[in-house]
Coordinates of all heavy atoms in Angstrom, one line a residue:
D1087 N 15.5 -10.3 -3.4 CA 15.1 -11.2 -4.5 C 16.4 -11.7 -5.1 O 17.3 -10.9 -5.5 CB 14.3 -10.4 -5.6 CG 12.8 -10.3 -5.3 OD1 12.5 -10.2 -4.2 OD2 12.1 -10.3 -6.3
V1117 N 10.9 -16.0 -8.1 CA 9.7 -15.2 -8.4 C 9.4 -15.2 -9.9 O 8.2 -15.3 -10.3 CB 10.0 -13.8 -7.9 CG1 8.8 -12.9 -8.4 CG2 10.1 -13.7 -6.4
F1118 N 10.4 -15.2 -10.7 CA 10.2 -15.2 -12.2 C 10.8 -16.4 -12.9 O 11.3 -16.3 -14.0 CB 10.7 -13.9 -12.8 CG 10.0 -12.7 -12.3 CD1 10.6 -11.8 -11.4 CD2 8.7 -12.4 -12.7 CE1 9.9 -10.7 -10.8 CE2 8.0 -11.3 -12.1 CZ 8.6 -10.5 -11.2
R1184 N 5.9 -9.2 -18.5 CA 5.5 -10.1 -17.4 C 4.1 -9.8 -17.0 O 3.5 -8.8 -17.4 CB 6.5 -9.9 -16.2 CG 6.4 -8.5 -15.5 CD 7.3 -8.5 -14.3 NE 7.3 -7.1 -13.8 CZ 8.1 -6.7 -12.7 NH1 8.9 -7.6 -12.1 NH2 8.0 -5.5 -12.3
N1222 N 3.6 -12.4 -7.3 CA 4.4 -11.2 -7.1 C 3.6 -10.0 -7.4 O 3.0 -9.9 -8.5 CB 5.7 -11.2 -8.0 CG 6.6 -10.1 -7.6 OD1 7.2 -10.1 -6.5 ND2 6.9 -9.2 -8.5
E1223 N 3.5 -9.1 -6.5 CA 2.8 -7.8 -6.7 C 1.5 -8.0 -7.6 O 1.4 -7.4 -8.7 CB 3.8 -6.8 -7.4 CG 4.9 -6.4 -6.5 CD 5.7 -5.2 -7.0 OE1 5.6 -4.9 -8.2 OE2 6.4 -4.6 -6.1
N1321 N 3.5 -10.0 -1.8 CA 4.0 -8.7 -1.5 C 3.1 -7.6 -2.0 O 2.6 -7.5 -3.1 CB 5.4 -8.5 -2.1 CG 5.6 -9.1 -3.5 OD1 4.7 -9.9 -4.0 ND2 6.7 -8.8 -4.2
D1344 N 6.5 -3.7 -0.9 CA 7.5 -3.3 -1.8 C 7.5 -1.7 -1.9 O 6.4 -1.2 -2.2 CB 7.3 -3.9 -3.2 CG 7.3 -5.4 -3.2 OD1 7.7 -6.0 -2.1 OD2 7.0 -6.0 -4.2
Y1346 N 9.3 2.0 -3.1 CA 10.4 2.6 -3.9 C 10.2 4.1 -3.8 O 9.9 4.8 -4.8 CB 10.3 2.1 -5.3 CG 10.7 0.7 -5.4 CD1 9.7 -0.3 -5.4 CD2 12.0 0.3 -5.5 CE1 10.1 -1.7 -5.5 CE2 12.4 -1.1 -5.5 CZ 11.4 -2.0 -5.5 OH 11.8 -3.4 -5.6
E1378 N 10.7 -5.5 -0.6 CA 11.5 -5.0 -1.7 C 11.7 -3.5 -1.4 O 10.8 -2.8 -1.2 CB 10.8 -5.2 -3.0 CG 10.7 -6.5 -3.6 CD 10.1 -6.5 -5.0 OE1 10.2 -5.5 -5.7 OE2 9.4 -7.5 -5.3
V1384 N 16.0 3.3 -9.0 CA 15.3 2.3 -9.7 C 15.6 2.6 -11.2 O 16.4 3.4 -11.6 CB 13.8 2.4 -9.4 CG1 13.5 2.1 -8.0 CG2 13.2 3.7 -9.8
N1385 N 14.9 1.9 -12.1 CA 15.1 2.1 -13.5 C 13.8 2.6 -14.3 O 13.8 2.7 -15.5 CB 15.6 0.8 -14.2 CG 14.5 -0.2 -14.1 OD1 14.1 -0.6 -13.0 ND2 14.0 -0.7 -15.2
W1386 N 12.7 2.7 -13.5 CA 11.4 2.8 -14.2 C 10.8 4.2 -14.1 O 9.7 4.4 -14.6 CB 10.5 1.7 -13.8 CG 10.5 1.4 -12.3 CD1 11.1 0.4 -11.7 CD2 9.9 2.2 -11.2 NE1 11.0 0.4 -10.3 CE2 10.2 1.5 -10.0 CE3 9.1 3.3 -11.1 CZ2 9.8 1.9 -8.7 CZ3 8.6 3.7 -9.9 CH2 9.0 3.0 -8.7
F1416 N 15.0 -5.5 -3.7 CA 15.0 -5.9 -5.1 C 16.3 -5.3 -5.7 O 16.3 -4.1 -5.8 CB 13.8 -5.5 -6.0 CG 14.0 -6.0 -7.3 CD1 13.6 -7.3 -7.7 CD2 14.6 -5.2 -8.3 CE1 13.8 -7.8 -9.0 CE2 14.8 -5.8 -9.6 CZ 14.4 -7.0 -9.9
E1426 N 15.6 -4.6 -16.3 CA 16.0 -4.0 -15.0 C 17.5 -3.9 -14.8 O 17.9 -3.8 -13.6 CB 15.3 -4.8 -13.9 CG 13.8 -4.7 -14.1 CD 13.0 -5.3 -12.9 OE1 13.3 -6.4 -12.5 OE2 12.0 -4.7 -12.5
H1429 N 18.5 -1.0 -12.7 CA 18.0 -0.9 -11.4 C 19.1 -1.3 -10.4 O 19.7 -2.3 -10.5 CB 16.8 -1.9 -11.3 CG 15.9 -1.7 -10.1 ND1 16.3 -2.0 -8.8 CD2 14.6 -1.3 -10.0 CE1 15.3 -1.8 -7.9 NE2 14.3 -1.4 -8.6
Ligands
GLA1317 C1 8.7 -4.6 -8.3 C2 8.8 -6.0 -8.6 C3 10.2 -6.4 -8.8 C4 11.0 -5.4 -9.6 C5 10.9 -4.1 -8.9 C6 11.7 -3.0 -9.5 O1 8.8 -4.3 -6.9 O2 8.2 -6.9 -7.7 O3 10.2 -7.7 -9.6 O4 10.5 -5.3 -10.9 O5 9.6 -3.7 -8.8 O6 11.6 -1.8 -8.8

Side-chain angles (χ1 to χ4, degrees):
D1087 274 35
V1117 175
F1118 295 106
R1184 65 176 176 185
N1222 190 63
E1223 295 194 341
N1321 40 352
D1344 299 351
Y1346 294 95
E1378 285 184 30
V1384 299
N1385 64 301
W1386 39 261
F1416 179 85
E1426 297 188 316
H1429 192 292

